[in-house]
Amino acid sequence: MDRFQGYVALVTGGARGIGAGVVRRLVAEGARVVVADVDEEAAREAFVGVEGVRVVRCDVGETDSVAAAVRYAQEVFGGLDVLVNNAFASEQGDSPAFEDDPEGGWRDQLDVTLLGAVRFSRAALPLLAAAGGRGSIVNIGSVNAEADFGGHAYSAAKAALASFTRTLAGDAAPRGVRVNQVNPGTVATRGWETRQEQLDALAERVYPLGRVGTPEDIAAAVAFLASTDAAWITGTTLRVDGGLLAVNRHFAEVVEG
């Protein structure tokens, strides 16, 4: 498919994992893509030799850095049609008890995961509005926004992102820009590299479709929402979770004895 022929996209946090998967999917469908990542070296290594990809160092926590990344997309490719807000603050180690959860972690999650998307959306909206009706923002959320899977600050930030998706959709619609969100379940990315046994157990006992997700699964959903195939969809959150939230396998096992 060439749904994005002639399109320009910008993906935040695109050096690895879901972000990298999204970049590759959009490029495969014809887009030219700017990868905005705080780890510029990793992003360049990930896409060395990939035609149509440009890399810019960007800290989504800094307004000037965000504005510079959007300007870069306009300078090198002439505009912007699609923004994918994928960058988030990663959590290290086990989640502490709520009363021991440091306030700094909450600030990091809100500043990067939520406000990073706010900053980029604000900076990009004029260009997206000038995209002739094909402007689109896709935010990467999480099933943590909808149910308790641990991580107070991360979950709260992702839930706030879903609310922001809805309110921005209403604001942007008159300007011809759609805003949607994808909520992934467990995705096999670098953060799970040392926990393969846990991934296998999740696939076997938790996920109705019998496996965890891949970056390509999420990228496919992002590409759909960003494309004109979703031209009458805005303000929605699409679960891409292998049935995790729809089916309670443990409940069924107990009831069935």
Side-chain angles (χ1 to χ4, degrees):
M1 290 186 291
D2 292 316
R3 290 183 294 184
F4 298 103
Q5 197 67 43
Y7 279 59
V8 177
L10 190 154
V11 180
T12 71
R16 304 181 179 89
I18 290 173
V22 170
V23 172
R24 294 188 185 280
R25 177 62 182 253
L26 295 178
V27 168
E29 293 201 34
R32 293 169 293 169
V33 181
V34 171
V35 179
D37 201 295
V38 70
D39 192 341
E40 181 180 2
E41 182 178 351
R44 293 195 183 279
E45 290 178 359
F47 299 104
V48 62
V50 179
E51 188 175 352
V53 174
R54 298 289 186 274
V55 172
V56 60
R57 186 193 179 281
C58 180
D59 183 345
V60 302
E62 298 178 359
T63 300
D64 290 345
S65 183
V66 168
V70 172
R71 283 198 304 272
Y72 178 78
Q74 185 176 28
E75 289 167 1
V76 298
F77 289 138
L80 188 63
D81 303 284
V82 175
L83 170 65
V84 181
N85 286 311
N86 169 71
F88 67 98
S90 61
E91 294 186 316
Q92 304 297 326
D94 297 331
S95 297
F98 172 69
E99 60 270 27
D100 298 324
D101 205 354
E103 189 171 309
W106 284 83
R107 285 195 295 268
D108 288 345
Q109 286 295 342
L110 292 172
D111 192 44
V112 176
T113 305
L114 174 61
L115 291 180
V118 171
R119 293 183 186 101
F120 254 103
S121 299
R122 180 183 293 126
L125 197 53
L127 293 180
L128 297 172
R134 62 188 192 185
S136 175
I137 298 173
V138 182
N139 297 321
I140 306 299
S142 170
V143 292
N144 285 55
E146 302 183 65
D148 177 19
F149 296 104
H152 299 292
Y154 173 81
S155 300
K158 290 295 191 181
L161 185 63
S163 178
F164 171 62
T165 297
R166 294 188 292 271
T167 58
L168 183 60
D171 185 83
R175 288 180 267 184
V177 179
R178 298 179 300 104
V179 187
N180 293 291
Q181 179 159 317
V182 173
N183 277 2
T186 305
V187 177
T189 58
R190 189 179 64 160
W192 288 93
E193 285 178 349
T194 61
R195 296 186 286 173
Q196 188 59 49
E197 289 186 8
Q198 288 176 286
L199 282 182
D200 292 342
L202 287 170
E204 180 182 353
R205 302 202 299 266
V206 175
Y207 280 89
L209 289 181
R211 66 175 179 87
V212 298
T214 67
E216 291 73 24
D217 291 321
I218 311 308
V222 171
F224 164 67
L225 288 174
S227 76
T228 54
D229 286 342
W232 209 47
I233 300 175
T234 195
T236 196
T237 295
L238 175 62
R239 295 177 185 169
V240 185
D241 68 350
L244 175 67
L245 293 178
V247 180
N248 190 323
R249 294 180 69 177
H250 294 298
F251 179 86
E253 290 169 1
V254 170
V255 169
E256 293 169 5

